[in-house]
Amino acid sequence: MNKIWIITRRELASFFDSLIAYVIIIMFLGFTGFFTWLAGNNIFLMGQADLQVFFQIGFWTLFFFIPALTMKMLAEETRSGTIELLSTKAISDWEIVTGKFMACLLLVLIALTCTIPYYATVSQLGSVDHGAVIGGYMGLLLLSAGYISIGLFASSITNNQIVAFLIALLIGIFFQLLFDIMGFTFRGAVGNVLNYLSMRTHFDSLSRGVIDSRDLIYFFSVIGVGLTFAQAMLSRRNWQS
């Protein structure tokens, strides 16, 4: 666990040293703030003291931002050869993948924490459903964890950051959009399976304040599969070299 935490701190520090963290946080707050408070169906037009508008904007914003965050995590290490140095320091592939996963997740958590003033402002406008707010934030965090694991897998299969970004986006769009559309297109068991695979189904449930074990199992399964595949690809590369 100590090795994982060392990698996590190193990666998190590199985000802030290279200004990536500041850019991601500022852009996330800019996008979500603009569409939550100023443009489109913002909170004032909705006329309800809740954060559903923010959660829906965050649902799409994180989908595009996270592949940009994860694309270099393993691809750049492989290209530069530093991944081999890590492997010689008695650090397992699983510890490398988990450490990088934790660093990305902590950065997303920091970005989400910066939106707490949204909640404070909305709570001044009327009676807020605190369960829905907690569920919404939990949904965004679990959604992010799922896409981070997918992004790490994409980054583990190439040493090109752009390719890693596009692969993560391509895989993600199935979970973000296509499974949802296909779930409504097909009927019966196939439709139910496709609907279950959709991130939207489980995120919407959590953002309404409903904490269902089926949603938690879904997100933890996606995270586990993504990280396992990333670790397997890393081990395969090291074995081949």
Side-chain angles (χ1 to χ4, degrees):
M1 190 64 190
N2 187 44
K3 294 175 183 175
I4 293 174
W5 181 237
I6 290 172
I7 295 172
T8 300
R9 284 191 304 173
R10 190 198 74 161
E11 293 297 334
L12 194 59
S14 73
F15 284 145
F16 284 95
D17 290 342
S18 63
L19 301 181
I20 291 176
Y22 300 105
V23 172
I24 291 288
I25 292 172
I26 290 172
M27 289 185 68
F28 176 73
L29 294 177
F31 273 105
T32 57
F34 180 73
F35 288 104
T36 299
W37 299 103
L38 299 174
N41 294 323
N42 61 60
I43 283 179
F44 300 111
L45 286 179
M46 296 296 288
Q48 296 177 349
D50 62 38
L51 286 175
Q52 286 304 314
V53 175
F54 163 68
F55 292 139
Q56 295 306 317
I57 298 299
F59 176 77
W60 280 102
T61 305
L62 290 169
F63 168 69
F64 286 105
F65 278 18
I66 287 176
L69 186 65
T70 58
M71 65 182 184
K72 82 175 190 70
M73 298 303 285
L74 293 169
E76 178 61 21
E77 297 266 19
T78 304
R79 189 193 64 78
S80 63
T82 53
I83 197 74
E84 296 174 4
L85 290 176
L86 280 175
S87 302
T88 62
K89 295 183 179 297
I91 301 175
S92 70
D93 294 333
W94 178 252
E95 289 169 336
I96 294 171
V97 170
T98 307
K100 290 177 179 292
F101 169 80
M102 292 296 295
C104 292
L105 190 59
L106 281 175
L107 182 56
V108 172
L109 181 61
I110 292 170
L112 290 177
T113 303
C114 290
T115 66
I116 293 299
Y118 294 180
Y119 166 70
T121 303
V122 167
S123 65
Q124 298 298 315
L125 300 176
S127 179
V128 178
D129 184 345
H130 301 291
V133 172
I134 294 171
Y137 274 107
M138 184 185 296
L140 286 180
L141 198 60
L142 289 171
L143 174 90
S144 301
Y147 283 135
I148 289 170
S149 70
I150 291 172
L152 287 176
F153 166 65
S155 186
S156 71
I157 60 179
T158 178
N159 57 9
N160 186 307
Q161 294 186 39
I162 301 302
V163 174
F165 174 82
L166 293 175
I167 292 174
L169 212 56
L170 181 63
I171 298 173
I173 202 164
F174 277 88
F175 290 94
Q176 185 81 357
L177 186 63
L178 296 183
F179 285 141
D180 191 37
I181 294 174
M182 290 189 289
F184 283 103
T185 304
F186 290 91
R187 301 294 180 189
V190 175
N192 291 335
V193 170
L194 291 170
N195 193 47
Y196 182 79
L197 290 173
S198 167
M199 289 270 190
R200 165 69 73 184
T201 301
H202 304 281
F203 174 78
D204 283 350
S205 176
L206 285 172
S207 66
R208 289 194 298 269
V210 179
I211 310 298
D212 192 317
S213 59
R214 288 172 296 184
D215 300 323
L216 300 179
I217 290 171
Y218 168 82
F219 281 114
F220 285 120
S221 298
V222 172
I223 295 166
V225 170
L227 294 181
T228 301
F229 280 9
Q231 186 261 334
M233 289 304 300
L234 207 57
S235 300
R236 181 169 172 267
R237 282 189 167 203
N238 293 337
W239 179 77
Q240 287 178 335
S241 62

